Amino acid sequence: MKLVRRAWAGGMLAVMALSALPLRAEPYSETLFSHKHWQVSGVAFDDGSLACKAEVSAPGDSFALWFFQNGMLRLQFYSTQWQFGGGTADLKVQVDRRAPWTLNAADLYENSVLFDLPAGDQTTRFLVEIAQGSKLFLRSATNEDVMWYSLAGSRASMDAMINCADALTSNPKNPFQ
């Protein structure tokens, strides 16, 4: 844990430095933490907004958790094999052999399936399952396998994601506020 905290001393500065970047046409991303199959990044968008992203990826496929400055938490499943014209789909996500989670009306956008997680205890339990898990399975509403992702290194990466999110939502000018 000491190593993670030391790595985050510079990582929090990197997130704050992202906010000072000039506006650009493409999002700018800086890796804040990398462990096993995970990478946690700070992302600056062309509109000046910031986000944290924890991602597991393989060539052409990825699973990511996004935390935005406004507190929104989004799941993103991406594959170059998919090409969606819009719409929504119901799907299931299962961590290891635990009970599956049903995600109704996930947005289908180009190569991505997107789902915004509501604030609350259910989302916290889901994130704890990811942090403790080995594999995450993405399935259709009828329980057909679509994709699976390794969660190796997820515990340390979820801690890094929390630190990044805290840095985004804290007020660095007044630490007592």
Side-chain angles (χ1 to χ4, degrees):
M1 192 63 160
K2 249 184 202 176
L3 293 175
V4 172
R5 286 193 179 134
R6 284 187 191 160
W8 266 101
M12 286 177 55
L13 292 175
V15 170
M16 294 304 134
L18 287 172
S19 63
L21 292 172
L23 297 181
R24 35 187 343 115
E26 294 293 318
Y28 173 79
S29 177
E30 182 171 326
T31 300
L32 303 174
F33 181 80
S34 185
H35 183 63
K36 296 187 180 179
H37 294 122
W38 286 88
Q39 183 170 309
V40 178
S41 303
V43 181
F45 296 96
D46 60 352
D47 65 358
S49 63
L50 302 173
C52 300
K53 179 174 78 168
E55 180 178 46
V56 173
S57 64
D61 301 309
S62 66
F63 160 62
L65 290 160
W66 289 85
F67 180 86
F68 296 94
Q69 267 179 303
N70 65 3
M72 184 176 65
L73 185 62
R74 175 176 289 163
L75 296 177
Q76 178 184 21
F77 301 95
Y78 172 89
S79 178
T80 55
Q81 298 174 26
W82 303 334
Q83 185 58 50
F84 303 117
T88 62
D90 295 339
L91 53 108
K92 293 183 181 183
V93 175
Q94 183 176 5
V95 177
D96 298 331
R97 294 185 182 268
R98 294 178 173 103
W101 296 84
T102 300
L103 307 179
N104 292 321
D107 291 316
L108 305 177
Y109 179 74
E110 296 181 1
N111 301 93
S112 294
V113 176
L114 305 167
F115 187 81
D116 294 341
L117 294 168
D121 292 342
Q122 292 289 84
T123 293
T124 301
R125 284 187 339 144
F126 177 67
L127 296 175
V128 168
E129 282 189 19
I130 290 173
Q132 295 173 346
S134 299
K135 285 185 180 178
L136 183 139
F137 300 92
L138 175 63
R139 296 192 172 110
S140 68
T142 58
N143 239 12
E144 293 179 45
D145 287 336
V146 175
M147 190 88 60
W148 72 271
Y149 306 89
S150 170
L151 297 179
S154 58
R155 178 68 177 181
S157 297
M158 290 299 102
D159 288 344
M161 181 72 161
I162 290 167
N163 287 334
C164 181
D166 286 348
L168 278 186
T169 57
S170 68
N171 183 349
K173 293 181 183 174
N174 183 352
F176 302 105
Q177 192 172 29

